[in-house]
């Protein structure tokens, strides 16, 4: 069974009404859809520590565990009911041991976490952030913290952090990360492709 098929089978029984996006459609039905394409665009290696900000059910974390040999995959979510439903689905799956050994789920507001200083976030090497629905002030606060994590080498974001970037005018983020690729990916809850921006650390 392929990883995406396994993950889809894990979450299929979760009620659609539990997970809603901005236009009223459930997003968990397209489990792993975005991440599958992004996984082909980035170099995730054995031993990486992966952090998913806004993890929801944890489907991206689950797929990463089944498809790669990352050391750890951590999901951060603010809605306890959604996170609990996802964790329970994983506990009842055939792959529970793999999730138990290498996956962690944190129920906290990401703005209350000192990402560069708290374990295990401070060891992150790859960060996935589907931040389309995040408020701008939250994006700015989290972005400022990500700059301070010295171990991060890849950052995937649904928001372009430097839309007007020019070589002569650089902010702190642009001094720390370089936009290396943009991947347009299909999503079942949007008619148009959604761009994801892939950054690599300059350190």
């Amino acid at each position: 069974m392929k990883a995406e098929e396994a993950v889809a089978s894990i979450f299929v029984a979760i009620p659609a009404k539990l997970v809603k996006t901005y236009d009223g459609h459930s997003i968990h039905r397209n489990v792993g859809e975005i991440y599958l394409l992004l996984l082909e665009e980035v170099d995730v290696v054995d031993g990486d520590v992966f952090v998913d900000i806004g993890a929801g059910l944890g489907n991206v974390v689950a797929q990463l565990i089944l498809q790669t040999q990352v050391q750890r995959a951590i999901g951060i979510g603010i809605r306890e009911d959604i996170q609990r439903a996802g964790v329970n689905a994983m506990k009842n799956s055939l792959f529970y041991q793999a999730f138990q050994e290498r996956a962690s789920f944190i129920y906290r507001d990401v703005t209350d976490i000192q990402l560069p200083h708290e374990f295990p976030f401070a060891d992150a090497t790859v960060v996935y952030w589907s931040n389309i629905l995040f408020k701008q002030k939250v994006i700015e606060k989290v972005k400022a913290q990500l700059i301070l994590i010295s171990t991060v080498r890849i950052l995937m974001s649904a928001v372009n952090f430097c839309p007007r970037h020019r070589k002569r005018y650089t902010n702190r983020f642009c001094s720390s990360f370089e936009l290396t690729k943009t991947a347009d990916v299909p999503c079942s809850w949007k008619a148009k492709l959604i761009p994801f921006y892939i950054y690599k650390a300059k350190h």
Side-chain angles (χ1 to χ4, degrees):
M1 182 184 295
K2 293 182 179 180
E4 62 269 26
E5 295 173 350
V7 174
S9 69
I10 291 170
F11 296 102
V12 69
I14 294 177
K17 64 181 180 180
L18 180 64
V19 185
K20 300 289 184 181
T21 188
Y22 43 85
D23 62 356
H25 296 292
S26 65
I27 63 174
H28 75 278
R29 297 299 182 186
N30 63 315
V31 170
E33 181 179 66
I34 288 180
Y35 190 70
L36 262 181
L37 293 175
L38 289 179
L39 190 60
E40 298 173 357
E41 302 287 345
V42 299
D43 183 24
V44 177
V45 299
D46 296 0
D48 268 331
V49 176
F50 176 91
V51 173
D52 180 2
I53 301 175
L57 291 170
N59 50 325
V60 172
V61 168
Q63 184 162 339
L64 194 81
I65 292 295
L66 297 181
Q67 194 162 334
T68 73
Q69 291 300 315
V70 293
Q71 176 184 333
R72 197 91 191 151
I74 304 130
I76 304 172
I78 195 171
R79 284 192 55 182
E80 185 178 11
D81 55 340
I82 291 178
Q83 190 176 91
R84 183 170 56 247
V87 170
N88 287 339
M90 285 181 250
K91 284 182 178 179
N92 293 325
S93 75
L94 297 174
F95 310 98
Y96 174 58
Q97 184 173 350
F99 298 140
Q100 186 179 39
E101 291 174 353
R102 296 192 289 134
S104 301
F105 292 94
I106 312 297
Y107 165 57
R108 289 175 67 184
D109 185 332
V110 67
T111 60
D112 293 334
I113 301 174
Q114 295 297 317
L115 295 172
H117 307 297
E118 292 187 35
F119 177 84
F121 316 109
D123 295 329
T125 57
V126 179
V127 176
Y128 172 86
W129 190 9
S130 184
N131 44 11
I132 296 174
L133 300 181
F134 280 66
K135 293 181 179 179
Q136 188 60 38
K137 64 179 181 180
V138 175
I139 290 175
E140 292 301 322
K141 183 172 183 178
V142 175
K143 184 175 70 172
Q145 292 202 59
L146 292 174
I147 294 170
L148 300 177
I149 304 178
S150 61
T151 52
V152 172
R153 58 186 186 81
I154 297 174
L155 169 60
M156 293 169 278
S157 167
V159 172
N160 184 356
F161 292 136
C162 297
R164 297 180 179 85
H165 176 72
R166 297 291 185 273
K167 289 185 177 180
R168 288 182 58 193
Y169 304 98
T170 58
N171 58 35
R172 192 173 181 185
F173 180 85
C174 294
S175 298
S176 303
F177 287 90
E178 178 182 8
L179 178 62
T180 59
K181 192 176 298 185
T182 301
D184 292 322
V185 295
C187 302
S188 62
W189 68 90
K190 290 284 286 184
K192 296 181 179 180
L193 298 178
I194 291 181
F196 257 75
Y197 303 91
I198 301 171
Y199 296 89
K200 288 190 177 181
K202 294 182 178 180
H203 56 72

